[in-house]
Amino acid sequence: MIEISSVSRSYGAFKALDNASLSITKGEFFSLLGPSGCGKTTLLRMIAGFDTPTSGTISVDGQPMDGIPANRRPTNMVFQSYAIFPHLNVAQNVAYGLKRLRLPSAEEKRRVEEALAQVSLSGLDARGATELSGGQRQRVALARALVMRPKVLLLDEPLSALDKKLREQMQVELRRLQQAVGITFVLVTHDQYEALGMSDRIAVMFGGRIAQVAAPKEIYQRPVNRQVADFLGGMNFVKAEIVEENAASITVDTTGFGRVRTDKPQAFVRNGKAATLGIRPERLRVLWDDATSPHEVSGKVVDRHYFGEITHLIVEVPGLEKPLSVSETNNFGADDIPVGAPIRLAYDPDALVAMAD
Ligand SMILES: Nc1ncnc2c1ncn2[C@@H]1O[C@H](COP(=O)(O)OP(=O)(O)OP(=O)(O)O)[C@@H](O)[C@H]1O
Ligand SMILES: [Mg+2]
């Protein structure tokens, strides 16, 4: 549905986007994820037609978009600071873009009502735009885009102005809406949970470059490098040396975890012999009493942080430069393990991931 080929955007000497290539499939919920300033909005604006690549091409639905203005593209964008018109009521806000199509008024009314139903705002047609909650305003902005029946809906941090509870609720609704209407969604976010929870696939971006494109689970479990791993949740990094590498797997030597063979992440590009072995804090499990595991490391608890449903244990392991961070649910008393206590940790070798340095 969207084909981005070697697209760059420079502002003077500064490259906001650097040679990005990406294919987004029809009906996909696709997210652009990355820290502030990495070029997410820049890319989205070029898909929408509000900005032009310095080089490279963008096609939407098989059509090259060069020279095609925003209002003639099969896309519609919901902006980072969603602007709904304060002097118009809900129905007028939603109908705004439709005016240009000069539809018979009954047809226009029907489409507005359909769009309001899609975002669960039926019955609020006559409400003034200033008499709405933040979440309702967000829905109006969505309805205003949906009413145009775009092939692609571009959403730039649409939920960032909402509080945590409402944001989580809207995430579920947005996903359900996307599945119901079947439109291709491209969502920009810097929130890893939002991207992981909603997307079919995610592109992780840093400094104008796309670092990895994959499904949420692959991105989380097989990050291609430390930067991606670090951006998506906690990760323990252990120094490693590459012993062997083939198309599907990679073998590394470490102190602490010994020799490890793991699946190779997509797009893994080695950089000499040095690599890093990663393990997520929740993939380390406390071994209680006499329990054993074929794969364990032992050490000493040096710190403990209580977070309600989980406890973070900081565990020093001989041979490792940095202590391991262990995230343990508070079912079994991890919150009572004293600092200074010896501890054994089990892990599944499949949870270890080799990353390029
Ligand atoms: N018109 C412009 N002139 C110069 N630099 C710009 C312009 N627009 C964007 N930039 C720069 O390009 C980089 C990428 O900006 P962009 O808005 O795409 O970031 P972003 O990933 O959307 O960040 P955020 O999460 O903060 O919205 C930033 O460093 C920004 O300062
Ligand atoms: Mg932005």
Side-chain angles (χ1 to χ4, degrees), residues 47-100:
I47 300 171
F50 297 115
D51 195 2
T52 313
T54 311
S55 62
T57 56
I58 295 175
S59 298
V60 180
D61 201 19
Q63 302 288 324
M65 289 290 118
D66 314 70
I68 299 184
N71 62 8
R72 296 198 23 237
R73 295 190 180 195
T75 57
N76 217 296
M77 184 151 161
V78 177
F79 292 91
Q80 192 158 6
S81 51
Y82 51 92
I84 60 172
F85 303 115
H87 58 288
L88 301 179
N89 69 24
V90 167
Q92 290 163 335
N93 259 289
V94 174
Y96 190 81
L98 282 181
K99 294 293 175 201
R100 181 164 58 79

Side-chain angles (χ1 to χ4, degrees), residues 29 31 33 157-160 167 171 174 187-199 202:
F29 197 124
S31 293
L33 173 69
E157 309 250 14
L159 310 181
S160 60
R167 196 160 68 224
Q171 285 168 10
L174 208 53
L187 173 85
V188 159
T189 181
H190 59 256
D191 181 332
Q192 47 149 333
Y193 295 107
E194 200 164 292
L196 289 172
M198 297 170 81
S199 322
I202 301 170

Side-chain angles (χ1 to χ4, degrees), residues 226-294:
R226 294 177 62 129
Q227 213 175 15
V228 174
D230 221 9
F231 192 72
L232 282 108
M235 180 73 104
N236 293 295
F237 296 113
V238 176
K239 239 191 193 165
E241 192 171 280
I242 299 174
V243 183
E244 198 195 318
E245 185 193 346
N246 61 42
S249 75
I250 177 159
T251 307
V252 297
D253 267 345
T254 68
T255 51
F257 289 88
R259 179 162 292 194
V260 177
R261 183 158 174 267
T262 74
D263 292 341
K264 193 155 76 172
Q266 300 168 338
F268 179 94
V269 182
R270 73 185 278 178
N271 189 6
K273 266 187 121 120
T276 298
L277 192 68
I279 183 156
R280 298 279 183 200
E282 75 276 13
R283 302 303 294 271
L284 289 161
R285 195 162 43 80
V286 175
L287 282 168
W288 300 95
D289 307 321
D290 300 331
T292 58
S293 160

Side-chain angles (χ1 to χ4, degrees), residues 75-346:
T75 57
N76 217 296
M77 184 151 161
V78 177
F79 292 91
Q80 192 158 6
S81 51
Y82 51 92
I84 60 172
F85 303 115
H87 58 288
L88 301 179
N89 69 24
V90 167
Q92 290 163 335
N93 259 289
V94 174
Y96 190 81
L98 282 181
K99 294 293 175 201
R100 181 164 58 79
L101 305 183
R102 300 183 188 286
L103 301 171
S105 68
E107 166 72 3
E108 181 183 294
K109 190 161 183 291
R110 209 182 55 72
R111 278 180 61 169
V112 168
E113 273 168 13
E114 181 189 81
L116 286 175
Q118 281 170 339
V119 298
S120 313
L121 279 186
S122 296
L124 285 192
D125 318 46
R127 185 75 76 79
T130 53
E131 299 159 0
L132 298 169
S133 72
Q136 288 169 331
R137 256 175 256 193
Q138 186 54 62
R139 284 167 222 239
V140 172
L142 269 174
R144 199 171 55 179
L146 284 170
V147 81
M148 303 308 292
R149 299 187 179 157
K151 289 183 174 153
V152 176
L153 191 61
L154 306 166
L155 303 133
D156 194 355
E157 309 250 14
L159 310 181
S160 60
L162 307 178
D163 67 46
K164 187 164 175 286
K165 270 264 148 57
L166 190 53
R167 196 160 68 224
E168 286 166 1
Q169 182 193 331
M170 285 295 293
Q171 285 168 10
V172 175
E173 280 187 33
L174 208 53
R175 178 70 203 177
R176 196 180 297 141
L177 174 68
Q178 191 264 343
Q179 281 164 349
V181 295
I183 295 173
T184 306
F185 275 35
V186 184
L187 173 85
V188 159
T189 181
H190 59 256
D191 181 332
Q192 47 149 333
Y193 295 107
E194 200 164 292
L196 289 172
M198 297 170 81
S199 322
D200 294 310
R201 285 190 307 149
I202 301 170
V204 186
M205 298 173 65
F206 294 102
R209 288 167 183 258
I210 296 174
Q212 187 169 11
V213 183
K217 219 168 142 175
E218 170 85 13
I219 293 261
Y220 187 75
Q221 297 185 350
R222 301 270 162 239
V224 285
N225 60 36
R226 294 177 62 129
Q227 213 175 15
V228 174
D230 221 9
F231 192 72
L232 282 108
M235 180 73 104
N236 293 295
F237 296 113
V238 176
K239 239 191 193 165
E241 192 171 280
I242 299 174
V243 183
E244 198 195 318
E245 185 193 346
N246 61 42
S249 75
I250 177 159
T251 307
V252 297
D253 267 345
T254 68
T255 51
F257 289 88
R259 179 162 292 194
V260 177
R261 183 158 174 267
T262 74
D263 292 341
K264 193 155 76 172
Q266 300 168 338
F268 179 94
V269 182
R270 73 185 278 178
N271 189 6
K273 266 187 121 120
T276 298
L277 192 68
I279 183 156
R280 298 279 183 200
E282 75 276 13
R283 302 303 294 271
L284 289 161
R285 195 162 43 80
V286 175
L287 282 168
W288 300 95
D289 307 321
D290 300 331
T292 58
S293 160
H295 304 283
E296 57 178 87
V297 289
S298 41
K300 187 175 82 173
V301 178
V302 293
D303 209 351
R304 190 182 73 188
H305 307 285
Y306 178 75
F307 289 104
E309 80 270 36
I310 55 165
T311 291
H312 281 183
L313 300 168
I314 310 300
V315 176
E316 230 166 53
V317 175
L320 293 187
E321 289 166 76
K322 277 185 67 185
L324 295 174
S325 172
V326 181
S327 166
E328 182 81 14
T329 53
N330 286 333
N331 277 340
F332 308 109
D335 45 335
D336 289 327
I337 298 176
V339 170
I343 194 170
R344 287 178 303 119
L345 304 167

